[in-house]
Amino acid sequence: PAASTAESDCKCNAGSQGLDGGPNCRLCAMGKYQPEMSATQCVACVSGKYLDVTGQILETECLVCPVNSGNNLEASNDLTDCVCDAGSTGSVGGSCTLCIAGKYKIASGNVACTDCGMGTYLETQGSSAQIDCVLCGKGKYSSSTGAAFESTCQRCVPGTYLENEGNSAPSDCVACDKGTYSSASGATSGATCEDCLAGKYAVSVGNTDESDCFKCATGTFSTTVGATSNDCQACPTKSNAPQASDAQTDCVCNVGSSGPDGGICTTCGIGKYKSEPGAAACDTCPSN
């Protein structure tokens, strides 16, 4: 101040640090500032900011790192200390952009964002965790990486199903068993596979329609639901049944024979006849 009488009255200016009265006042280093006179220490810029000039007075001289970036340093003195946040990517000290949909980045830094894996997708930007990648739902799969839309997940084809999530290949879809079929796409349960009806059978897996179930041949029947092989049984002698018969009672006596449906058929005796198949008794021939 004016009229000072001692060296100890000399004080370091704002923007400097040192002991009063001494010759050692020094400008605040880069990364620091000091708004007061007579300060022995300069104040560090807080993390997320930097200051690349010396002798600064105001905290506002500390510059904020670019959007989507920061630093974990106090007293940072260079823009290059600013690195992209988790969920963002870009060049050192440059602009950082959010990871696009279908990608994520776990840690801060300037490495590229990572693709979500096969069997997943991510529709939002700026993800910072792998767990943000959404699993394709049951009945679906995706062999794509970095998928940005749920529509990337493909439905399992008819004749198959898939009971878990996050699958990556069509081969993950499970074929309906022998003796069954399913016309549904994207089926999420084996319960979708319907049994072939009695009187029919299917020897292969992955059937897509009821017509894939083979019919028991004429003259045979099967009571088995969901038959996996040709277990059709022959009708009793002198009887017959239509295709796909599902009960022994479908076997009816032939013309010229008589007996209960599904039972033993006996040839009409001498002087008798029967012109229609079925269980009716034989008719007596007219006299003369």
Side-chain angles (χ1 to χ4, degrees), residues 268-288:
C268 293
I270 297 173
K272 294 191 175 185
Y273 71 95
K274 189 159 72 73
S275 58
E276 298 291 337
C282 298
D283 294 318
T284 303
C285 293
S287 57
N288 302 321

Side-chain angles (χ1 to χ4, degrees), residues 55-115:
Q56 297 305 298
I57 298 174
L58 301 176
E59 191 276 337
T60 54
E61 303 293 342
C62 299
L63 303 175
V64 179
C65 286
V67 175
N68 300 323
S69 71
N71 60 50
N72 292 321
L73 304 173
E74 290 188 347
S76 171
N77 60 14
D78 200 311
L79 173 61
T80 58
D81 290 335
C82 298
V83 296
C84 295
D85 297 332
S88 298
T89 187
S91 59
V92 175
S95 62
C96 297
T97 57
L98 296 176
C99 293
I100 63 173
K103 295 176 181 284
Y104 65 93
K105 185 161 77 71
I106 296 173
S108 60
N110 297 94
V111 298
C113 300
T114 303
D115 284 339

Side-chain angles (χ1 to χ4, degrees), residues 138-140 155-157 160-163 182 184-189 192:
K138 297 178 181 181
K140 297 181 178 181
R155 292 176 178 270
C156 291
V157 297
T160 66
Y161 63 93
L162 196 47
E163 295 184 334
S182 173
S185 62
T188 60
S189 170
T192 308

